[in-house]
Structure formats: C-alpha cells, structure tokens
C-alpha cells in the first residue's frame, strides 16, 4: 500500500511541475483538506492559490526524498521558481528562488485526503526581491 500511495503523490508532483492544475486537483478526494501558509480548507480554497503560484512563479518541485508508511507519505523537495508575472499586484522581478519545501499527505483509496505543506516563504520572497504578501 505504501508504494501505491507514493505513486499517487508523485502523480500530484508531476502534474504540479507541468502546471496542470486540473490534474493536480484530480488527485485529491472530493472532501480533501489542504493545510498551508494561508490556512486550511478544501480544493475551492487551494485551487486559486496554486493557480496564482504556478502562473506568477513557475514553480518546480524536485523530489529529494520520499518516505511512506501505511497511508502517510512525506516528501522533501528542492522548490525552484522565478518571478514571471505580478503576484497580488506586486512587481515582476525576473529573479529566481530556491528553497527546501516539505509536504505530508494522507492517501486513501488512490486519492489524497489531507495535505500539509511547509516552505520558507520569507526566503522565497526575499530571493525574488518581493515584499511578503
């Protein structure tokens, strides 16, 4: 089961890296809870944030490590991106960023039911020369 759950999470990562928001959302269960820097909620809350991050920063996730036990999967990434579009009315700097990010998932029935994300947002914005949102 752990290996199947890892594959579900890697499907999410691959879709995120392609900028395919529909495919990202399709990996989540209908009632999934997504926890992040902006709070927590369902796909209706997360989807617009993910769309904005993909569009403005060309986010790319490189998997550095992944572990799974039962229905829990944890991933450590090197996250990279670039300021290519205005984020919430801010400047476009064209500058790159690189941070370590971590996400934890609970996967059941082939779908992600819960996701927690952590990254150094302050460093990310500082590297791109942008004010914190």
């Amino acid at each position: 089961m752990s290996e199947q759950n890892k594959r579900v999470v890697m499907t999410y990562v691959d879709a995120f890296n392609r900028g395919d928001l529909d495919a990202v959302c399709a990996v989540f269960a209908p009632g999934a809870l997504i926890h992040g820097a902006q709070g927590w909620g369902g796909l209706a809350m997360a989807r617009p944030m993910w769309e904005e991050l993909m569009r403005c920063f060309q986010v790319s996730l490189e998997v550095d490590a992944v572990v799974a036990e039962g229905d829990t999967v944890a991933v450590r990434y090197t996250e990279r991106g670039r300021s290519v579009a205005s984020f919430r009315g801010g400047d476009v700097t064209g500058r790159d960023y690189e941070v370590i990010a971590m996400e934890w998932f609970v996967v059941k029935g082939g779908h992600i039911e819960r996701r927690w994300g952590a990254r150094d947002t302050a460093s990310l914005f500082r590297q791109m020369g942008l004010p914190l949102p």
Side-chain angles (χ1 to χ4, degrees), residues 53 56-59 79-85 87 91-99 120-131 133:
L53 292 172
C56 297
F57 300 140
Q58 294 181 330
V59 177
E79 179 181 322
R80 294 179 180 91
R82 171 177 290 153
S83 171
V84 296
F87 180 76
D91 293 335
V92 179
T93 67
R95 291 172 56 182
D96 295 334
Y97 77 87
E98 179 177 304
V99 295
D120 186 349
T121 303
S123 177
L124 184 152
F125 279 84
R126 186 174 51 255
Q127 290 176 53
M128 289 188 292
L130 297 169

Side-chain angles (χ1 to χ4, degrees), residues 11-97:
T11 298
Y12 156 84
V13 172
D14 291 340
F16 207 96
N17 284 340
R18 290 191 318 271
D20 187 342
L21 191 53
D22 289 335
V24 168
C25 292
V27 179
F28 284 82
L33 286 177
I34 299 142
H35 303 260
Q38 299 293 316
W40 62 275
L43 285 172
M45 182 235 18
R47 185 182 178 101
M49 284 191 277
W50 289 336
E51 187 278 328
E52 190 173 29
L53 292 172
M54 290 174 180
R55 180 177 44 81
C56 297
F57 300 140
Q58 294 181 330
V59 177
S60 173
L61 303 171
E62 179 183 332
V63 174
D64 297 321
V66 58
V67 295
E69 183 174 323
D71 61 5
T72 302
V73 180
V75 185
R76 180 176 46 87
Y77 308 101
T78 299
E79 179 181 322
R80 294 179 180 91
R82 171 177 290 153
S83 171
V84 296
S86 177
F87 180 76
R88 301 185 180 172
D91 293 335
V92 179
T93 67
R95 291 172 56 182
D96 295 334
Y97 77 87

